[in-house]
Amino acid sequence: EPEVTQTPSHQVTQMGQEVILRCVPISNHLYFYWYRQILGQKVEFLVSFYNNEISEKSEIFDDQFSVERPDGSNFTLKIRSTKLEDSAMYFCASRDRVGNEKLFFGSGTQLSVL
Amino acid sequence: SQQGEEDPQALSIQEGENATMNCSYKTSINNLQWYRQNSGRGLVHLILIRSNEREKHSGRLRVTLDTSKKSSSLLITASRAADTASYFCALYSGAGSYQLTFGKGTKLSVIP
């Protein structure tokens, strides 16, 4: 079965540094998402992306965050200046079309900000 | 925004027993989904039930939906140790919303 691929699986960075988390959604999917999960807490929506623009974002997704689909396959999440509280597991997800509400998730990138 | 609330928060059962988890929500929905998360892994879609459906089956999973009570339940029959995971209900935040939100989940432990 096709799957969403995320790299790297683990990322360690210093506070204040920029990080880019990468995702390759399933190839014929049209809607792309980033979620995060702080250890022991629930999965939180960050942003959705459709037709090359952000369709919705949460309060967490402030000016420090940005997303991009630089080519036909990759979908990236950039955190400009990381904070300690950005430490979390970040999940990318995608879905194929309107009318199919099922999301496919990647295995996540564990981000540790020191 | 709309989100479901699962209960119980944690459930521990013996292998072979049935596990039932519940989800309550507040506003009208078009559909409700259930996902599973193994520890430290991504979420896996289990089943989607639409607002005009009352019950749906998939293998050992049975999902019910009661829109009058704004609640859903997930039943796993004949549980196995491999069913140990967290289970979440998920709802779209509103009509036309792209935002799928998750509850806090039920942590299921199946003891061999």
Side-chain angles (χ1 to χ4, degrees):
Chain A
E1 184 171 305
E3 57 181 28
V4 175
T5 306
Q6 289 187 244
T7 55
S9 55
H10 293 85
Q11 174 94 46
V12 181
T13 190
Q14 296 289 326
M15 191 169 57
Q17 294 296 304
E18 174 184 287
V19 293
I20 297 176
L21 309 182
R22 302 181 191 279
C23 171
V24 179
I26 295 171
S27 63
N28 62 339
H29 283 196
L30 301 176
Y31 301 83
F32 313 110
Y33 300 79
W34 283 101
Y35 285 81
R36 80 170 186 192
Q37 186 177 33
I38 296 170
L39 185 63
Q41 298 187 25
K42 66 175 184 172
V43 176
E44 299 175 292
F45 170 82
L46 293 178
V47 66
S48 59
F49 191 87
Y50 170 68
N51 202 24
N52 283 320
E53 61 182 22
I54 290 173
S55 45
E56 279 181 79
K57 60 182 181 179
S58 71
E59 292 175 354
I60 302 167
F61 194 88
D62 61 22
D63 292 345
Q64 292 299 311
F65 291 88
S66 62
V67 289
E68 198 175 42
R69 188 152 162 83
D71 52 41
S73 58
N74 292 284
F75 180 52
T76 62
L77 174 69
K78 182 193 288 187
I79 308 175
R80 246 178 287 282
S81 177
T82 50
K83 304 171 190 154
L84 296 175
E85 54 265 36
D86 293 328
S87 295
M89 181 76 95
Y90 288 80
F91 294 106
C92 174
S94 67
R95 73 177 167 110
D96 59 2
R97 56 181 169 80
V98 173
N100 185 0
E101 290 87 355
K102 170 181 172 181
L103 262 58
F104 291 79
F105 281 81
S107 295
T109 293
Q110 178 64 56
L111 177 65
S112 299
V113 182
L114 306 179
Chain B
S1 62
Q2 168 90 287
Q3 74 176 47
E5 290 187 15
E6 298 91 344
D7 89 276
Q9 289 185 348
L11 180 60
S12 185
I13 59 172
Q14 296 288 331
E15 202 165 30
E17 293 180 340
N18 295 341
T20 300
M21 289 156 268
N22 303 294
C23 172
S24 59
Y25 57 92
K26 294 195 171 133
T27 63
S28 63
I29 58 170
N30 290 326
N31 64 75
L32 183 146
Q33 303 180 47
W34 286 90
Y35 286 78
R36 184 187 74 221
Q37 184 183 33
N38 290 80
S39 181
R41 306 291 295 172
L43 286 85
V44 175
H45 180 269
L46 294 176
I47 199 164
L48 179 151
I49 187 164
R50 301 199 179 277
S51 58
N52 61 353
E53 297 175 308
R54 291 295 167 258
E55 188 170 312
K56 203 160 180 182
H57 296 254
S58 176
R60 293 184 295 111
L61 305 180
R62 173 178 164 247
V63 168
T64 62
L65 180 64
D66 186 337
T67 52
S68 65
K69 294 181 180 176
K70 294 186 170 53
S71 68
S72 174
S73 67
L74 171 67
L75 168 68
I76 303 173
T77 59
S79 62
R80 304 167 183 167
D83 295 328
T84 295
S86 291
Y87 292 82
F88 300 87
C89 65
L91 305 163
Y92 281 96
S93 289
S97 172
Y98 295 91
Q99 180 177 341
L100 187 67
T101 59
F102 293 84
K104 293 181 181 177
T106 293
K107 190 166 184 177
L108 174 66
S109 299
V110 181
I111 302 163

